[in-house]
Amino acid sequence: RINFVGNTTTQDEVLRREMTQMEGAPASTDQISQSRERLERLGFFRTVDVETRPVADHPDQLDVTYNVEEQPSGSVSASLGYSQSAGVIYGAALSQNNFLGTGNRVNVNAQKGDYFTNLNFGFTDPYWTLDGISRGYNVYYRETDYEDFDDISTYSSDALGGSINFGYPINELSRLNFGVGVEDLSLETYRDTPAEIIQYTEDEGEDFLNYKLTARWTRNNLNRGIMPTAGSYQRLSLETAVPGSDTQYYKTRYEAQKLFEFRPEWSLKFSTNLGYADTVGDDAYPFYENFYSGGLGSVRGFSSNTLGPNTTPGGDGDDDTLGGNVLVEGSAELIYPFPWVEDRRSLQTSVFFDAGNTYLTECYDVPAGESSNCSSGVDLGELRYSVGLGLSWLTPVGPLTFSVAKPISDEDGDDTQVFQFSLGQTF
């Protein structure tokens, strides 16, 4: 028999479907261990321990017991917090990766920050079929106004969209996801909007209806779903707007992590984040789909979303950034346990070295008579670097993340921040 102890919220079925060791089957040390790793990878449990005991009067049989300790897998206050990049975040939200113990992922979000409003509903059933095929839905409304935001080019956008997606497991560690969606987007410019955006809206218009197809390959071999210390993770994604859309483009991204644990809770972590996007045809790539770099989760020590080619100021505006259609980021970290803390699975500290930037392979047009500030091309000599200390803490109200970083390659005009933090989970 296989028994589970400690799952006070998570349903028995959710744990049992992760088992590769079956009841009544020949016992396999590898499958028992693999089943434990699959439970840890869910991210629902702080610890997962396994023990085997011989069955009384049956020396050729044994029982397997998995002892789990549940941990928060979401929060009803996930949108309540503060971020230096977004200011005070208001709203009501439910983010649950283990909704009512079913293993389903649910996001319900009504959220407002200093320059954005988000309404979102998402639902994913990871076991839509017994074979592990997942199905998910997502509906959203997003209103963004950068008029008073100092670091990103001045414009506003309203987007309404929805999608449906399916996931298919290739093997124990890898899966494919496919999705189809639609988005209706409207743009608005201001007196100090950069010249590149003014010209883009004059050439392409301000309203866009796009039909999107997405594909994603994921391989997850991390030892934990939250704050891992060993293993690897890779994700390759492709998004494209199909014929019939107002803009036709494709956007691909590759993300990877590799962790080497050389002592308990001591690890070396290497990560990379690469992106490339372009249009299908001769039209300019839509600037609102550009990649951005800088800030927590990117290149720490630089203000959020500020790295990239400068724009040409319009009116009284500044030369901010539009991001770029090429993204290059990398990071190396030494993860170590925080002294005097017993629960090391909910608190992780690190020393890091970050690098990254965004680039434009082709500059956007500007109105006749104006001189563009843009420089195109991918020049790795323009990468920005930083070193510092980071901390992540899984608190009852959501994750707390902060860093103290020193930029070591900043140039005139770069927006830097030595201390950065975020409290509460945003979507």
Side-chain angles (χ1 to χ4, degrees), residues 317-373:
D318 298 322
D319 54 344
D320 298 316
T321 183
L322 281 176
N325 67 311
V326 176
L327 171 69
V328 179
E329 290 181 343
S331 179
E333 297 184 63
L334 171 64
I335 298 173
Y336 59 93
F338 194 81
W340 311 296
V341 174
E342 295 183 3
D343 184 9
R344 294 177 175 176
R345 291 204 172 197
S346 61
L347 183 66
Q348 194 173 81
T349 50
S350 66
V351 178
F352 61 81
F353 172 80
D354 289 345
N357 209 337
T358 62
Y359 304 90
L360 287 172
T361 55
E362 184 176 347
C363 290
Y364 290 95
D365 293 335
V366 297
E370 296 196 29
S371 178
S372 173
N373 286 351

Side-chain angles (χ1 to χ4, degrees), residues 250-267:
Y250 64 90
K251 188 176 185 180
T252 184
R253 191 165 187 164
Y254 175 73
E255 301 169 72
Q257 298 179 12
K258 180 66 177 178
L259 292 98
F260 302 91
E261 189 172 36
F262 55 91
R263 289 180 58 186
E265 305 302 324
W266 288 76
S267 302

Side-chain angles (χ1 to χ4, degrees), residues 111-367:
Q111 192 179 60
K112 183 172 180 59
D114 286 354
Y115 67 93
F116 69 89
T117 298
N118 281 341
L119 300 175
N120 181 79
F121 173 77
F123 174 85
T124 300
D125 181 355
Y127 279 84
W128 181 53
T129 71
L130 294 177
D131 297 328
I133 295 178
S134 64
R135 181 178 66 177
Y137 308 93
N138 188 55
V139 180
Y140 63 89
Y141 172 75
R142 183 174 61 249
E143 179 182 312
T144 307
D145 189 348
Y146 295 113
E147 183 179 11
D148 298 320
F149 192 66
D150 295 334
D151 301 322
I152 299 177
S153 299
T154 301
Y155 72 96
S156 66
S157 65
D158 294 343
L160 176 65
S163 64
I164 181 172
N165 61 82
F166 297 89
Y168 177 80
I170 303 173
N171 54 39
E172 179 66 24
L173 301 175
S174 304
R175 67 186 296 115
L176 288 173
N177 286 78
F178 301 96
V180 58
V182 60
E183 180 180 75
D184 186 13
L185 177 76
S186 298
L187 300 175
E188 183 178 353
T189 59
Y190 302 98
R191 181 176 54 83
D192 55 348
T193 297
E196 286 85 354
I197 297 180
I198 295 293
Q199 188 62 45
Y200 183 89
T201 55
E202 289 182 358
D203 294 340
E204 307 294 337
E206 296 183 342
D207 299 305
F208 305 91
L209 181 64
N210 293 327
Y211 305 97
K212 301 181 180 182
L213 295 179
T214 59
R216 184 173 70 246
W217 169 78
T218 305
R219 186 180 188 276
N220 187 352
N221 192 30
L222 297 174
N223 64 332
R224 301 176 193 163
I226 298 177
M227 298 185 187
T229 57
S232 62
Y233 176 87
Q234 296 182 82
R235 182 169 68 176
L236 178 64
S237 61
L238 172 67
E239 174 185 307
T240 180
V242 300
S245 301
D246 290 333
T247 57
Q248 295 185 38
Y249 67 90
Y250 64 90
K251 188 176 185 180
T252 184
R253 191 165 187 164
Y254 175 73
E255 301 169 72
Q257 298 179 12
K258 180 66 177 178
L259 292 98
F260 302 91
E261 189 172 36
F262 55 91
R263 289 180 58 186
E265 305 302 324
W266 288 76
S267 302
L268 284 174
K269 176 182 177 181
F270 300 94
S271 59
T272 187
N273 191 1
L274 306 174
Y276 179 78
D278 204 352
T279 56
V280 180
D282 298 328
D283 294 334
Y285 181 78
F287 69 90
Y288 51 84
E289 292 288 350
N290 276 341
F291 301 105
Y292 287 91
S293 183
L296 288 172
S298 180
V299 185
R300 287 159 285 193
F302 293 88
S303 298
S304 181
N305 301 327
T306 60
L307 296 180
N310 289 334
T311 59
T312 304
D316 299 328
D318 298 322
D319 54 344
D320 298 316
T321 183
L322 281 176
N325 67 311
V326 176
L327 171 69
V328 179
E329 290 181 343
S331 179
E333 297 184 63
L334 171 64
I335 298 173
Y336 59 93
F338 194 81
W340 311 296
V341 174
E342 295 183 3
D343 184 9
R344 294 177 175 176
R345 291 204 172 197
S346 61
L347 183 66
Q348 194 173 81
T349 50
S350 66
V351 178
F352 61 81
F353 172 80
D354 289 345
N357 209 337
T358 62
Y359 304 90
L360 287 172
T361 55
E362 184 176 347
C363 290
Y364 290 95
D365 293 335
V366 297

